[in-house]
Amino acid sequence: MKFLFLQGKRPPEMHRELEGVFKDNAPSEQTVRKWFRLFQEGRTSVEDNERSGRPLEASSPEVVQQVEMLLAEDRRQTCKDLAERANISAGSIHTILQRDLDKQKKFSKWVPKLLTEEQRNVRATISRSHFRRNRRDSSFLERIVAGDETWVYSWDPETKAQSAEWRSPGSPRPQKAIRKQTSLKVMHIMFFDVHGVILNWAVPPGTRVNGPYYQWVIREKLRPAIRRKRRQLLENGVILLHDNAPVHVTRSLLDMLDAWDWEVLQHPPYSPDLSPCDFFLFPQLKKKLRGIRFDTANEIEHAVKE
C-alpha cells in the first residue's frame, strides 16, 4: 500500500491492484483508505503502534463495572469508543454489553412530537375517561364514527417486509432500489365505525381541504351516508372521533354538530396512535396498494374503493 501510495495512486486503484495480486487475501478497501489517509498525514512507519502494556482481563468485574460507568455517561458511544477508553478490544466490549450488562443497541423511532409532562398527563386522563365510559356504556364503541384524511399515491414502493423472499442460509439478501412516491396523488376523506366504512370521499384534484370544505363533507356526504347505512346511529347519537387538526375544530363546524346533538370525542393532542384511522385503517389500506402503479386519479379512487 505504501509503494502504491508513493506512485500517486488513489485508494480505489490501489485496492484493485492489491486484489489482482493477493486475490481473497487482499486488504479491504476500507483498510486501504485508512492507510492512504495515514500516509497523507505524514506517517512513514507501517508497523502497529505500541500498546500501553498488557490489556486488562476483559471479563473481570472491575472492567464490567468500568464499562457500565462509561456507558452511563453517554449511551450513544460505539463499541470502538468504549474500547479505546477501557483499553480492551471492541469485541470484548460487545461481549460485556450483551452478556454481562444485558444491553441491546436500539434505534430511535420517529414520533410526531415529544410530549411535555402536561401533555402526557392529559393523554392519560382522557384515555382513562374513555376506558371507564366503555365499561359503563355497552353501546359506547358502536356509536363512535372515526374519520380523517389521507393521501393515496399513484405508486407507493413496497416495504422491506413485503419484499422479503425465502432463501437458503448461504444466499445473498435480495436487493431493492430506493424509489420515491410519485407526484400523482388523491386525498381521501374516510369515516368508519365498528361495522365498516361509512364514507370514502375522494377530494377532487385542486380542491383545498379547509374548514368550510370539511364542514361541507360532514353535512352533505357523511350525514346522508349515516342516514342510509347506520340509521340507528342517528337515533342513539353519533360520537365523532377525529384529531385536533385546525379544519376539524372550527367554530362553525362545532356549532353545526352541537345543533345535531353529535358528540365530539376528546382526542389527546399529538396522539395519532390513538386514532383508529391512523393506526388501523390507513396502514392496512395502503399496505394492499403498495407496489401497484396507477396511471390516473380514477384508477386510484377505484382501487381505494375496492
Side-chain angles (χ1 to χ4, degrees), residues 186-190 199-205 207 213 297 300-301 304:
V186 177
M187 176 173 281
H188 281 258
I189 303 178
M190 298 186 184
L199 176 67
N200 167 33
W201 176 251
V203 178
T207 302
Y213 185 82
I300 296 175
E301 295 171 23
V304 171

Side-chain angles (χ1 to χ4, degrees), residues 23-240:
K23 308 299 181 187
D24 294 339
N25 294 323
S28 67
E29 186 171 350
Q30 182 180 2
T31 301
V32 174
R33 289 183 181 277
K34 169 192 168 185
W35 280 95
F36 179 87
R37 184 175 66 255
L38 292 174
F39 293 144
Q40 271 191 324
E41 294 171 354
R43 177 164 177 163
T44 57
S45 172
V46 295
E47 303 297 329
D48 289 333
N49 291 331
E50 291 186 4
R51 295 180 62 90
S52 56
R54 183 176 180 272
L56 299 174
E57 180 64 32
S59 58
S60 66
E62 293 80 9
V63 175
V64 173
Q65 184 179 8
Q66 181 187 9
V67 173
E68 187 174 20
M69 293 174 60
L70 292 173
L71 192 64
E73 296 176 8
D74 182 5
R75 295 186 178 275
R76 300 179 65 177
Q77 295 180 86
T78 64
C79 288
K80 184 178 179 181
D81 295 334
L82 293 169
E84 291 178 355
R85 298 182 64 183
N87 194 29
I88 58 177
S89 69
S92 298
I93 289 289
H94 191 266
T95 300
I96 290 173
L97 291 174
Q98 288 195 329
R99 185 190 65 190
D100 299 308
L101 300 179
D102 194 25
K103 301 294 184 183
Q104 293 180 343
K105 192 84 167 184
K106 293 195 174 182
F107 296 97
S108 301
K109 68 175 182 178
W110 292 108
V111 295
K113 184 179 175 67
L114 294 176
L115 300 182
T116 64
E117 186 67 27
E118 181 181 2
Q119 289 169 334
R120 287 197 292 268
N121 291 335
V122 170
R123 174 184 168 105
T125 301
I126 292 176
S127 298
R128 280 196 295 264
S129 174
H130 294 339
F131 189 70
R132 288 194 297 267
R133 184 174 176 181
N134 181 56
R135 281 182 164 179
R136 295 193 307 266
D137 183 3
S138 60
S139 66
F140 174 60
L141 291 179
E142 297 210 355
R143 293 170 56 200
I144 294 177
V145 176
D148 206 352
E149 310 88 36
T150 187
W151 285 108
V152 182
Y153 292 84
S154 61
W155 187 81
D156 226 352
E158 290 182 332
T159 63
K160 290 195 294 183
Q162 288 178 297
S163 305
E165 300 176 3
W166 289 105
R167 295 194 175 195
S168 58
S171 299
R173 294 173 58 184
Q175 294 183 338
K176 186 177 181 65
I178 299 176
R179 301 179 65 179
K180 296 183 178 179
Q181 298 162 322
T182 52
S183 58
L184 176 61
K185 57 184 179 180
V186 177
M187 176 173 281
H188 281 258
I189 303 178
M190 298 186 184
F191 293 89
F192 77 113
D193 66 355
V194 295
H195 300 291
V197 176
I198 299 175
L199 176 67
N200 167 33
W201 176 251
V203 178
T207 302
R208 182 183 176 189
V209 179
N210 51 20
Y213 185 82
Y214 184 74
Q215 184 175 343
W216 175 83
V217 171
I218 298 286
R219 183 180 63 249
E220 302 297 333
K221 299 298 177 181
L222 177 60
R223 196 183 188 202
I226 292 177
R227 185 178 292 112
R228 291 194 310 271
K229 301 179 180 180
R230 309 281 195 274
R231 180 171 291 274
Q232 74 280 3
L233 266 179
L234 296 179
E235 299 172 358
N236 299 333
V238 174
I239 302 176
L240 186 61

